[in-house]
Amino acid sequence: MEIKKNKLVFNIKDSGINGIITDDRKEIINLLSAEDKVSIIGEDFQYNYFDNTVYEYMTGEVERKNLILRDKAKKIKDSLRIVGLNKIDIDRNVTTLSESEKKLLQIAIALLSNPDILVFEEPFTKLDLKNQKKLMIFLGKIKEKFNKTAVFITNDSNVLYKYTDYVIIIQNKKLIMEGTRRVLEDVDALIKNNIKVPEIVEFTYKAKKKYNVKIDYHNDIRDIIKDIYKHV
Amino acid sequence: MKKIIELKNFNIGFYENTFYTISGSNNSGKTTLIRTLKHINNFSQAVIPFELRVSKNTILEELTYQNNDQEFINYLLKGLKIKSISKESINNLSKKEIILVQITLALSKRPKVLLLDSIGNYLKYEELKSIFKFLRDYQSKYALTVVTTTIHLEESLLTDYLYIIDDGMIILEGEPLEVLQKDNIINKAGLEVPFMIDLSVKLKDYDLISNIELDQDRMVDILWK
């Protein structure tokens, strides 16, 4: 999908996970949400005073978002089931949900409008490693089963280098870099644009630059250890 | 009925003027512990992001209402870098500014214990470091124990002592650098070991280095110089 506004043009790849680094998150979210079939999953879970249970929260969101659903109750239950929240969770008070469960509930709500693209604002800041992995497995499944695309908007380059396939960097309303996650290995360009270099890339870059060590860039620490062992 | 959280056989102690981290995966009981600590100790103040009640129009009015020692209030405003917004209403602030105001308000009550509940989730690491640096300065002037919770273990390296809880129990405790080397237990608890410690531990396993190294340049020199 091509996103275009004035001189800014970038692509969301419908295969795999996209990552966007930007200095104007609000503007990019506005641009994406103006497209058809896009749902935004915000960084924070917004409580609503009047909705006590998970089910009430979901029906409340359907009304607040003016969603027109045929067989609302079934759709809500199906959506909860897809994200892995089960029958017991439907009657739970939303204030008792853990951070990961709140994220799943946000996704369940996003899925109600049957979007093609799920846009996550800072998806991992509140998730531990176990739940990050669970979310990635879930996104892999809905990609395979329902052909959904995910977009992560975050300035955490470590997360993008670890989990995404395609990276887009936008600064001052201009596209700076776009390509596979390997664009995050262009350390000089990242530094020039004041973008944090992923730690694992930075280490490899320093070894290459200072001692001309022939190790490759990897996004898994176990692979880099094997490479160091061969070249030390 | 599904059990949401349980703290089991909990025995946890905090020394005066010391900086603690409590870490654990999502749903491990961190916020429950902070709320419990707040209620069992009359001298503590808790900062739970965005849980804030104010009665005055501006931040400065609220602070002066809590504590009329102008010199002390100025020290807090300057140290936490919120002097420029002190005449604003709380309603006009960003997430980061709200947290800074919450900390200022908590400290204005001169607590002996300051409890911070996962404030790092809403701040850049450099911003958190700057807050912790100020709290260290505060500790050097006034006695204060700080207890902060997080899922991001690198934050513990800025503090003196680390507790890791899992399933409502303490599974590891000690000086952060020592605790963070127990990578298997930490990963099993659903947490991520900071990159340079993870790298060091694994290189130590291969006998390629002998000590934990947090600095990337020094690590590169040790391996290839």
Side-chain angles (χ1 to χ4, degrees), chain B residues 47-175:
Chain B
V47 173
I48 297 172
F50 318 118
E51 282 189 15
L52 175 63
R53 273 195 216 125
V54 287
S55 54
K56 304 290 173 192
N57 291 328
T58 71
I59 296 155
L60 190 60
E61 283 171 28
E62 187 69 30
L63 283 166
T64 315
Y65 174 67
Q66 300 291 348
N67 187 331
N68 59 13
D69 180 346
Q70 273 310 317
E71 199 182 323
F72 180 64
I73 295 297
N74 269 332
Y75 164 68
L76 297 180
L77 290 172
K78 204 175 156 199
L80 287 162
K81 299 175 188 151
I82 56 164
K83 212 162 186 171
S84 61
I85 56 159
S86 62
K87 288 179 181 156
E88 295 279 340
S89 153
I90 196 88
N91 301 321
N92 302 332
L93 304 181
S94 68
K95 284 184 201 170
K96 174 191 151 190
E97 288 167 342
I98 292 174
I99 288 171
L100 287 169
V101 168
Q102 284 187 276
I103 298 171
T104 314
L105 281 167
L107 290 175
S108 72
K109 293 167 191 162
R110 300 289 287 260
K112 289 190 176 162
V113 181
L114 179 69
L115 308 162
L116 304 171
D117 187 29
S118 297
I119 62 166
N121 284 351
Y122 305 92
L123 303 165
K124 290 180 187 151
Y125 189 60
E126 290 309 313
E127 292 166 348
L128 188 76
K129 258 168 95 171
S130 161
I131 293 172
F132 284 6
K133 192 176 166 203
F134 167 71
L135 292 175
R136 290 288 193 190
D137 183 74
Y138 186 102
Q139 283 182 318
S140 70
K141 293 181 169 67
Y142 315 95
L144 179 75
T145 297
V146 184
V147 181
T148 179
T149 63
T150 185
I151 52 167
H152 307 292
L153 281 169
E154 63 272 22
E155 291 176 18
S156 70
L157 292 166
L158 306 170
T159 67
D160 304 318
Y161 201 85
L162 169 63
Y163 288 103
I164 297 184
I165 58 175
D166 187 35
D167 196 21
M169 287 189 294
I170 295 169
I171 55 162
L172 286 171
E173 67 170 291
E175 285 183 22

Side-chain angles (χ1 to χ4, degrees), chain A residues 8 21 27 39 57 64 97 107 111 113 129 134 137 191 199 204 210 215 225 231:
Chain A
L8 175 64
I21 294 177
E27 168 74 9
S39 274
Y57 187 86
R64 286 187 284 274
L97 298 177
I107 299 171
L111 289 174
S113 57
L129 184 64
K134 268 193 196 167
I137 292 168
I191 292 171
E199 279 180 290
T204 311
K210 201 165 179 187
I215 57 173
I225 296 284
H231 292 97

Side-chain angles (χ1 to χ4, degrees), chain A residues 10-70:
Chain A
F10 62 94
N11 292 292
I12 300 294
K13 295 283 174 195
D14 62 5
S15 58
I17 309 279
N18 296 259
I20 300 180
I21 294 177
T22 176
D23 57 351
D24 192 352
R25 188 184 302 172
K26 212 172 161 187
E27 168 74 9
I28 299 302
I29 288 176
N30 284 342
L31 261 179
L32 291 169
S33 53
E35 297 288 329
D36 284 341
K37 300 288 227 172
V38 172
S39 274
I40 311 288
I41 292 149
E43 182 178 8
D44 297 321
F45 182 84
Q46 305 291 337
Y47 286 103
N48 191 291
Y49 186 73
F50 299 103
D51 304 327
N52 292 317
T53 67
V54 166
Y55 187 80
E56 285 168 3
Y57 187 86
M58 285 195 80
T59 49
E61 281 294 289
V62 169
E63 280 165 29
R64 286 187 284 274
K65 291 178 193 290
N66 292 320
L67 295 177
I68 299 156
L69 300 178
R70 247 190 298 162

Side-chain angles (χ1 to χ4, degrees), chain A residues 115-172:
Chain A
D116 293 333
I117 299 178
L118 292 168
V119 177
F120 293 81
E121 187 187 358
E122 292 292 353
F124 296 131
T125 43
K126 293 176 194 165
L127 296 186
D128 61 40
L129 184 64
K130 190 168 60 189
N131 283 305
Q132 287 183 17
K133 287 179 182 170
K134 268 193 196 167
L135 179 60
M136 291 310 297
I137 292 168
F138 169 74
L139 292 176
K141 274 185 193 164
I142 59 165
K143 159 75 194 147
E144 205 172 291
K145 262 183 148 177
F146 306 108
N147 210 23
K148 308 284 183 203
T149 297
V151 179
F152 296 163
I153 302 184
T154 174
N155 288 341
D156 186 341
S157 58
N158 288 319
V159 157
L160 296 186
Y161 192 64
K162 194 165 162 187
Y163 293 127
T164 58
D165 307 302
Y166 199 77
V167 174
I168 299 141
I169 302 176
I170 298 163
Q171 301 270 54
N172 297 319

Side-chain angles (χ1 to χ4, degrees), chain A residues 43-44 89 92 96 98-99 101 125-131 162 199-200 202-203 206-207 210-211 213 221 225 228-229 231-232, chain B residues 2 4 25-27 95 121-122 151-152 187 189-192 195-196 198-199 202-203 206 208 216-217 219-221 223-225:
Chain A
E43 182 178 8
D44 297 321
D89 296 312
R92 267 175 69 189
T96 67
S98 68
E99 289 299 341
E101 288 167 333
T125 43
K126 293 176 194 165
L127 296 186
D128 61 40
L129 184 64
K130 190 168 60 189
N131 283 305
K162 194 165 162 187
E199 279 180 290
I200 195 164
E202 192 180 5
F203 175 78
K206 283 177 175 168
K210 201 165 179 187
Y211 294 104
V213 183
I221 198 164
I225 296 284
I228 293 171
Y229 196 76
H231 292 97
V232 79
Chain B
K2 188 173 175 179
I4 307 298
S25 60
N26 298 131
N27 222 17
K95 284 184 201 170
N121 284 351
Y122 305 92
I151 52 167
H152 307 292
N187 289 151
L191 295 168
E192 190 168 16
F195 173 69
M196 284 307 288
D198 202 11
L199 186 67
K202 288 179 169 64
L203 290 172
Y206 280 91
L208 293 174
Q216 289 204 356
D217 292 299
M219 176 72 95
V220 167
D221 288 342
L223 288 167
W224 288 292
K225 198 170 183 177

